[in-house]
Amino acid sequence: MNLAEKLVMERRARLAAERMLDQKQRELFAANQKLALHARSLSDQIVEQRQVVQVVRSEAAALKGENTRFQSDLERAHSAAVMAERRLWDSFETIKDGFAVFDPNLNLVAANRSYLSLFDGLPEVRPGVGYQTILRLAAEEGLIEIAPLSAEEWCLDMLKRWLVNPIESRVVQLYNGEYVKLIDRRARDGDTVCLAYNITETIMREAELQEAQATAEAANRAKSAFLANMSHEIRTPMNGVVGMAELLCETPLTEEQKLYAETIRSSGEALLVIINDVLDYSKIEAQKLVLYPEPFDLERCIHEVTMLLQPRAHAKGIELLIDFDIFLPTRFVGDPGRIRQVLTNLIGNAVKFTEKGHVLIRVVGFEMAPGMRDLRVTVEDTGIGIPGKYLEHIFGEFNQVEDQSNRKFEGTGLGLAITKQLIDLMEGEVWVDSEEGAGSSFGFKLSLPVAEDTDEMEAAPILPRSALIVDDQIINRSVLERQLKTYGLDVVACRSGAEALAALGTTPAIDVVLTDCQLPDMDGIVLAVRIASIAPGVPILLFAPNPGEIRAAMAEADLACIAGFLQKPILRSDLVRRLKALAVPAPVVVEAAPVGVRTMRVLAAEDNRTNQLVFRKMVKELDIELLIANNGVEAVELYQSFCPDMIFMDISMPEMDGRDATRAIRAIEAESGSPRVPVVALTAHAMDGDADGILAAGLDFYLTKPLRKALICERIVALCPPDARKPRSSDVDEDLAEAG
Ligand code: ADP
């Protein structure tokens, strides 16, 4: 190869090398550039990372701070919790009552010293011990009084108690005589928290209180018994005073003497009412009052009470009205004496505090169970009423309305308290509604069993189909109208005589006329005469508060049209009996007074000399043979030797009381088959505990002291047998005798 060629080749090689260098330089530049970029991005990343690291660092620093705070909070909380727990336990330790916690498996978690102190010296009793073991140790070691149970029975019983939720508290007595009340509660997580509460002091105080109460009650009973005895002792001579004063009033006296005697009598009677109240109240207080339930007629009972109050009501011009639910039976089983007493108090008050208008006794009943009735009796009056502020306390002792309108009324303030106590005793309720100046309504509720009906008249039909009622009192008219309608009668009701006469002219068939004796425009008798002239033969029944007097007054005037008199307020059974009697066309036989051949024999048993004297004087005008027995034994002897037609029997007598004497007489009658002699009880007080159950003892009637001449005489006349001479020839008031 020549040089040129070599040079060419060399140049070519150099050129190639230069190109390559150039390319490599470009590549290097590019690589440098890439590297520079990378280096920038790296440096950027580094900056970024640094920032992140810084943030993380500062966050870490913050977290660290927080952590420190948390830690110190935690430490504080922990020490607070420890302190709270320590305080709690310190507190549990300071209380002298036992405190313990058991876990759901009934193992002891913790207990205070007081709880554990009972088990001092028993190493088993510590946290972890089971409740059963604690019970067993308590029983077996004699730490708790378990008699009469055995240790096993007691533990079982206590364990059973624990298995019920909520756990019943239990009082146990410890070996040292202290009493502990165990109060255990289930906690939410199944633990049981127990408190053993020392109630020794409370129990001792209770025992002391009970003792003090028993002493106070005994003292109160002694006081009441003393009061009861005193009242009883005062009552006997008072009866003598009143009886003698009544007799004195009947002797010839000057006006002045009559006034004195009357005052002695009425003051004596007022005193007796007060004494009777005190006696009753003390008896209730002394818990000596017992109820004697027996079958009785409630309607008749109400009627009898109104009859007693009738004169007082009549004198004031107040109407006494009874509205006895017609669908209600009248016979119930209850204590008639006590029910009568309640009625006497309520109706008596109604009459006392009413100057004009009426007193209405309403009885309704609901059948709550077969054979039982819920009876509601209300006594409504149109009197002075009771201001609202007194209403709440009106049934308390000695509570009386003390204001101008009330001051003039006498009373002990015991009547309503006695009424409430009696109704409470009979498991009833009393209430009052009243508006000052408008009137009051006192009521009571009683649940009584219905008694068997013994009325033989029940089956007889009522024949009159239509009736004319004449009465100006709307309540009376509507009560009567309702009653008659229930028995199927057509009723025409009129307010006056003139209206009645007009009605008779337009109404074709009236079978019976029932008229009040006192009408605004004419007298009932005048009306009867006028009715008889336009409707001859129509029977007329007159009702009046005092039928005996009216009949006596018109004894001479022969009024054949008057079929009979009804006592006002009208007793439903009397009304029905009258109507039924009307239906029987009895042959008109003029009943001749039986001409007896012998004198009626009356025996009176009475231990008190004064009362014997009073009795003798009271019946001295009667044509009777009277023997007096000084006690029950004598009464039984005289019953056998004297064969009396009737007996008056004092209830409380020495040796043998009236009840026992009557029982003995009834036994003799039963044995000998002799007829039943009527026995009239003489009780010191109708509501007296002594008088209760007298009818059950075989006595037929009773009269209360002070003895009333009229009532004694009436009773004798009514009980005179046909073969004896009538003890009194004139004005024999059969109706009253029958009603009494
Ligand atoms: P007393 O009638 O003996 O005072 P009560 O206990 O029977 O005692 O009655 C207490 C009081 O209640 C009476 O004093 C009277 O103020 C009042 N009161 C009772 N019933 C009535 C009544 N129907 N109307 C107005 N006030 C009455």
Side-chain angles (χ1 to χ4, degrees):
M1 180 184 330
N2 61 21
L3 191 58
E5 280 174 343
K6 269 190 188 174
L7 279 173
V8 168
M9 271 183 68
E10 227 175 269
R11 211 173 118 234
R12 267 190 207 148
R14 199 185 55 206
L15 277 173
E18 274 172 0
R19 266 199 311 272
M20 177 123 42
L21 185 66
D22 190 37
Q23 191 187 335
K24 287 294 172 197
Q25 260 171 346
R26 263 198 319 271
E27 275 179 13
L28 189 63
F29 181 73
N32 261 342
Q33 254 184 337
K34 214 170 167 184
L35 204 61
L37 268 175
H38 192 63
R40 202 159 41 242
S41 114
L42 266 180
S43 119
D44 283 354
Q45 268 183 25
I46 284 167
V47 170
E48 216 171 276
Q49 283 301 319
R50 259 197 209 133
Q51 278 171 351
V52 169
V53 166
Q54 206 147 13
V55 169
V56 168
R57 263 207 200 121
S58 67
E59 275 180 0
L63 273 177
K64 200 173 159 196
E66 232 167 78
N67 194 21
T68 324
R69 214 170 46 248
F70 281 153
Q71 215 163 357
S72 71
D73 280 357
L74 200 64
E75 266 165 27
R76 252 202 320 279
H78 179 70
S79 57
V82 167
M83 196 183 304
E85 192 183 338
R86 206 180 50 233
R87 274 194 186 140
L88 195 65
W89 275 105
D90 282 352
S91 312
F92 287 144
E93 289 300 355
T94 52
I95 54 171
K96 66 176 186 0
D97 302 303
F99 176 84
V101 182
F102 288 81
D103 69 15
N105 297 323
L106 308 193
N107 293 326
L108 182 65
V109 178
N112 69 355
R113 239 188 323 253
S114 176
Y115 189 94
L116 296 174
S117 67
L118 181 64
F119 307 96
D120 267 354
L122 295 173
E124 298 99 311
V125 181
R126 59 169 186 272
V129 65
Y131 183 59
Q132 263 170 291
T133 312
I134 292 187
L135 288 177
R136 185 175 53 73
L137 288 171
E140 285 175 358
E141 299 291 326
L143 304 177
I144 284 181
E145 292 292 335
I146 57 169
L149 301 181
S150 68
E152 203 177 322
E153 287 167 338
W154 183 79
C155 291
L156 203 67
D157 180 45
M158 292 294 283
L159 206 58
K160 260 204 250 159
R161 164 182 166 269
W162 249 43
L163 301 178
V164 183
N165 197 19
I167 305 167
E168 233 180 59
S169 56
R170 169 84 53 100
V171 175
V172 291
Q173 193 184 4
L174 306 185
Y175 67 95
N176 56 5
E178 294 195 344
Y179 288 90
V180 168
K181 185 172 190 176
L182 304 175
I183 303 168
D184 307 319
R185 293 279 176 274
R186 207 73 77 206
R188 233 176 311 170
D189 51 5
D191 283 355
T192 307
V193 181
C194 312
L195 186 68
Y197 186 46
N198 195 318
I199 54 165
T200 313
E201 262 183 42
T202 317
I203 294 238
M204 274 160 62
R205 209 169 316 130
E206 244 171 48
E208 280 168 18
L209 273 178
Q210 264 170 9
E211 206 181 304
Q213 190 178 349
T215 317
E217 278 173 359
N220 196 33
R221 272 199 299 277
K223 177 209 73 186
S224 300
F226 169 75
L227 267 180
N229 283 340
M230 279 311 291
S231 333
H232 190 84
E233 292 305 316
I234 297 170
R235 212 164 48 173
T236 309
M238 275 314 296
N239 283 332
V241 171
V242 173
M244 282 297 191
E246 190 182 359
L247 289 173
L248 187 61
C249 287
E250 287 187 1
T251 58
L253 298 173
T254 64
E255 273 307 305
E256 196 178 5
Q257 287 167 331
K258 208 173 171 71
L259 177 72
Y260 296 164
E262 260 308 318
T263 312
I264 296 174
R265 192 185 60 78
S266 60
S267 307
E269 274 180 0
L271 191 55
L272 273 175
V273 170
I274 296 171
I275 292 169
N276 284 337
D277 268 2
V278 173
L279 181 57
D280 272 337
Y281 191 75
S282 3
K283 274 201 170 163
I284 297 174
E285 279 274 284
Q287 290 165 9
K288 277 195 184 160
L289 200 124
V290 189
L291 294 175
Y292 294 93
E294 60 180 81
F296 76 106
D297 190 311
L298 177 64
E299 193 184 16
R300 187 166 284 280
C301 183
I302 294 175
H303 198 256
E304 282 169 4
V305 173
T306 51
M307 291 319 308
L308 280 176
L309 295 165
Q310 190 72 270
R312 226 185 301 162
H314 191 60
K316 287 172 141 189
I318 308 169
E319 281 264 12
L320 282 181
L321 309 165
I322 301 175
D323 182 5
F324 196 98
D325 185 347
I326 33 185
F327 297 108
L328 192 64
T330 61
R331 289 177 56 75
F332 296 94
V333 179
D335 185 327
R338 297 295 163 194
I339 291 172
R340 189 190 310 264
Q341 184 174 11
V342 167
L343 289 165
T344 308
N345 278 341
L346 297 184
I347 306 173
N349 275 349
V351 171
K352 177 158 82 171
F353 295 106
T354 303
E355 288 308 324
K356 63 172 193 293
H358 67 259
V359 171
L360 169 64
I361 302 112
R362 222 186 263 282
V363 186
V364 290
F366 309 95
E367 184 164 17
M368 300 315 274
M372 287 293 288
R373 290 291 190 286
D374 258 9
L375 299 172
R376 269 150 224 262
V377 181
T378 45
V379 179
E380 300 167 17
D381 65 55
T382 52
I384 59 170
I386 302 168
K389 63 176 175 179
Y390 291 104
L391 276 182
E392 208 179 311
H393 308 289
I394 207 76
F395 290 106
E397 300 85 39
F398 311 111
N399 281 341
Q400 294 176 306
V401 176
E402 301 266 349
D403 64 18
Q404 212 58 41
S405 64
N406 220 290
R407 214 159 288 159
K408 62 178 186 229
F409 297 103
E410 289 172 350
T412 55
L414 279 176
L416 290 180
I418 294 172
T419 297
K420 175 159 169 34
Q421 301 233 34
L422 288 178
I423 294 289
D424 282 351
L425 205 65
M426 294 186 237
E427 293 173 6
E429 264 176 59
V430 276
W431 62 86
V432 58
D433 276 326
S434 186
E435 198 183 318
E436 197 177 353
S440 310
S441 169
F442 280 84
F444 64 89
K445 189 180 106 179
L446 282 183
S447 285
L448 296 183
V450 179
E452 298 274 306
D453 210 334
T454 50
D455 194 350
E456 297 134 21
M457 283 292 280
E458 204 56 32
I462 293 178
L463 289 188
R465 302 295 347 132
S466 59
L468 176 72
I469 300 169
V470 199
D471 196 323
D472 56 322
Q473 269 278 338
I474 176 154
I475 302 181
N476 225 5
R477 221 166 42 231
S478 58
V479 169
L480 206 52
E481 184 172 351
R482 213 149 22 93
Q483 289 182 337
L484 292 177
K485 280 188 172 163
T486 315
Y487 290 106
L489 273 80
D490 289 330
V491 178
V492 179
C494 301
R495 275 170 300 184
S496 64
E499 221 178 89
L501 291 169
L504 267 180
T506 53
T507 320
I510 289 288
D511 297 336
V512 58
V513 176
L514 294 114
T515 176
D516 190 9
C517 257
Q518 253 180 339
L519 294 168
D521 55 346
M522 65 182 79
D523 187 302
I525 294 169
V526 174
L527 177 65
V529 174
R530 292 182 59 180
I531 290 176
S533 68
I534 53 170
V538 175
I540 301 168
L541 293 173
L542 279 163
F543 41 88
N546 51 347
E549 276 173 36
I550 296 178
R551 200 202 330 250
M554 51 171 276
E556 271 97 75
D558 177 25
L559 290 173
C561 61
I562 296 185
F565 287 87
L566 282 165
Q567 173 70 54
K568 241 173 114 176
I570 301 169
L571 187 61
R572 190 183 49 166
S573 49
D574 276 356
L575 172 70
V576 172
R577 201 170 300 129
R578 285 287 180 177
L579 290 174
K580 284 180 176 172
L582 281 185
V584 188
V588 187
V589 181
V590 180
E591 207 185 296
V595 190
V597 285
R598 64 172 182 86
T599 321
M600 181 182 178
R601 291 183 295 269
V602 176
L603 172 65
E606 165 67 65
D607 63 310
N608 183 283
R609 296 276 163 202
T610 315
N611 283 343
Q612 287 181 1
L613 183 62
V614 171
F615 193 91
R616 271 188 207 286
K617 296 269 183 200
M618 281 182 170
V619 300
K620 74 170 192 293
E621 284 154 25
L622 294 184
D623 176 17
I624 55 166
E625 201 178 332
L626 173 71
L627 280 192
I628 299 230
N630 290 305
N631 54 49
V633 180
E634 265 186 49
V636 178
E637 284 167 7
L638 283 175
Y639 159 73
Q640 286 165 298
S641 57
F642 179 53
C643 296
D645 295 310
M646 69 166 302
I647 303 174
F648 284 98
M649 184 75 80
D650 185 23
I651 290 298
S652 61
M653 285 187 294
E655 294 198 41
M656 183 190 261
D657 74 11
R659 257 179 285 217
D660 287 344
T662 309
R663 275 194 206 102
I665 290 170
R666 295 290 177 235
I668 296 169
E669 281 172 355
E671 206 173 285
S672 61
S674 35
R676 185 182 170 102
V677 59
V679 182
V680 180
L682 299 177
T683 67
H685 172 21
M687 317 314 163
D688 195 338
D690 300 335
D692 291 320
I694 48 171
L695 299 181
L699 291 114
D700 302 289
F701 311 93
Y702 71 83
L703 291 176
T704 54
K705 292 180 183 175
L707 302 179
R708 290 265 169 284
K709 184 178 168 184
L711 293 178
I712 299 266
C713 294
E714 259 162 33
R715 188 51 70 194
I716 295 176
V717 170
L719 293 174
C720 176
D723 64 332
R725 263 196 316 278
K726 280 256 177 210
R728 186 165 57 178
S729 50
S730 64
D731 54 278
V732 176
D733 189 348
E734 279 176 4
D735 251 25
L736 268 183
E738 196 185 296

